[in-house]
Amino acid sequence: MKLVVVIPVYNHGQAVGGVVAKLRSQGLPVLLVDDGSNADTARALNVLATQDGVQLLRLAQNQGKGGAMMAGFRAAAAQGFSHALQIDADGQHDALDAQRFVAAAQARPDAFICGCPLYDASVPKGRLYGRYATHVWVWINTLSFAVRDSMCGFRVYPLAPTLALIERVCIGTRMDFDVEIAVRLVWAGVPVVNMPTRVHYPEDGVSHFRVWRDNLRISWMHTRLFFGMLLRLPLLLWRKLA
């Protein structure tokens, strides 16, 4: 197994350096994907990319979190990496947990290792409770509890089945990406390992979630996935019985 950490970055110039430092302290190679960030963040990423083990992929225009991740997957595979660990740039994930994710991927290289958040008191209650609407739809659309939390951006992808999926299917490129790709990996028969991990929301954290726009996008995604589940219902039921 050859793994690289892929970090989508959009205007998180102040926080991403600390994330990179923790990952490099564990000996993990890092690929930063600049998703059309502002000038200050671009300069910060240029400095980070001078470090050993840190690469920078710069997108000319903002493509959204999903678009940045898919560009990172393709770049990682082109360099011979077999797995990609995704982590957010804003510091909310405990980057020191990365070795636990890597160990899980080494034990199950065929599996999708999906973070399952353990929140502290910093989590906004509205976001915490709102996540359950998505969780329920994911459980319905996969006819399983295989993915405990489909919105956590800390996860490891086996690149071969993931790239085969994104080349075959049009997947949402923004805040709908994490949820949709998790559902579709389950549909594709990729095993799931849920990995508990601590999550903290920094007081000065930058969120790019836009309540109305992104909730509408996610609602439409759930609708599409529900009808996709109906088409796959015989296969999903057969798997459960088998």
Side-chain angles (χ1 to χ4, degrees), residues 76-180:
Q79 296 180 40
F81 289 101
S82 63
H83 290 72
L85 186 153
Q86 172 187 336
I87 188 170
D88 288 351
D90 58 6
Q92 67 173 270
H93 301 135
D94 184 356
L96 295 178
D97 268 354
Q99 281 293 356
R100 295 176 53 241
F101 281 75
V102 172
Q106 288 172 333
R108 289 293 307 276
D110 60 327
F112 169 47
I113 313 300
C114 191
C116 187
L118 302 174
Y119 294 106
D120 61 17
S122 67
V123 60
K125 294 301 186 287
R127 294 184 68 174
L128 176 63
Y129 300 140
R131 296 170 76 93
Y132 279 92
T134 282
H135 297 344
V136 170
W137 273 113
V138 167
W139 298 335
I140 291 171
N141 288 332
T142 60
L143 296 187
S144 75
F145 296 106
V147 178
R148 297 289 301 278
D149 189 303
S150 61
M151 301 183 77
C152 183
F154 198 178
R155 42 180 59 175
V156 179
Y157 297 88
L159 284 175
T162 301
L163 284 170
L165 175 63
I166 66 177
E167 297 303 334
R168 185 174 71 250
V169 180
C170 182
I171 294 177
T173 60
R174 296 193 176 272
M175 293 298 183
D176 47 354
F177 169 79
D178 286 342
V179 177
E180 183 169 2

Side-chain angles (χ1 to χ4, degrees), residues 7 15-25 28 30 32 48 51 54:
I7 308 178
V16 68
V19 177
V20 170
K22 291 178 181 177
L23 294 167
R24 290 299 300 138
S25 72
L28 296 172
V30 175
L32 300 166
L48 289 172
Q51 299 179 21
V54 180

Side-chain angles (χ1 to χ4, degrees), residues 12-14 16 32 38-49 58:
H12 286 108
Q14 294 185 336
V16 68
L32 300 166
N38 58 31
D40 288 343
T41 297
R43 283 192 291 270
L45 295 178
N46 286 338
V47 173
L48 289 172
R58 178 153 282 144

